Amino acid sequence: MKKTLIVIDYTNDFVADKGALTCGVPGQAIDTNIVTLANKFFANHDCIIFPTDLHTQDDPYHPETKLFPPHNLANTWGRKLFGNVGKWFDLHKNNEEIYFYDKNRYSAFANTNLENFLRTHHIEELYLCGVCTDICVLHTAIDAYNKNFKITIPQNAVASFNQTGHEWALDHFKTSLGAKII
Ligand code: ZN
């Protein structure tokens, strides 16, 4: 069965100390774990996908404008991938296994061509990592479940600013979405 690694929203705004909407230390602690996974997938010629939140400042039509401070604005430092993951991406981004795309909702499936990409590449198993466990990773996992993809969550490669939400989501992945937690 073909698999892929999906690295969700691992940007400066969501991870760095000065990020606009940061997970902080728990987010930074998974940096090298994501790189280790990326190297494994890359060595196996499996795809590595980077769905990355994109916003415009004070967008009156976007529901997140009322919920969160401005984040992941186009062409800003905040939207660049964080740390070693960012360096890894810069080194490998021109390879055909790497797919970076913009998303505008929590789920990596919402309003994007992710499902087409996965179906045309005959990928059935998704390894989800990145941030936040209980927001964008969760919503992506729910959509993946509804579309009959198999889900694996490497628990040392997801994080949240909310430890209670993080633990709740890990349990939900396992007990309600049938995900393998590794
Ligand atoms: Zn957002």
Side-chain angles (χ1 to χ4, degrees), residues 68-122:
F68 301 113
H71 59 278
N72 273 37
L73 303 176
N75 305 313
T76 60
W77 167 85
R79 194 172 182 256
K80 290 214 176 342
L81 296 175
F82 174 83
N84 293 314
V85 171
K87 285 180 198 153
W88 190 95
F89 175 78
D90 286 340
L91 209 61
H92 296 89
K93 63 185 173 192
N94 295 324
N95 287 276
E96 62 179 19
E97 290 89 352
I98 310 301
Y99 176 37
F100 178 103
Y101 69 89
D102 305 336
K103 71 178 178 72
N104 66 4
R105 289 297 186 275
Y106 303 140
S107 170
F109 286 95
N111 309 325
T112 76
N113 75 333
L114 177 60
E115 184 173 6
N116 278 345
F117 181 92
L118 298 171
R119 303 283 186 215
T120 52
H121 287 75
H122 307 289

Side-chain angles (χ1 to χ4, degrees), residues 14 21 53-55 62 64 68 71-72 104 106:
F14 287 122
L21 198 52
D53 209 18
L54 173 66
H55 293 288
H62 201 294
E64 281 180 39
F68 301 113
H71 59 278
N72 273 37
N104 66 4
Y106 303 140

Side-chain angles (χ1 to χ4, degrees), residues 5 37 127-129 152-158 170 180-182:
L5 179 67
L37 282 165
Y127 283 62
L128 304 182
C129 66
T152 296
I153 310 283
Q155 58 180 325
N156 72 355
V158 289
L170 284 177
K180 210 192 306 171
I181 311 292
I182 59 169

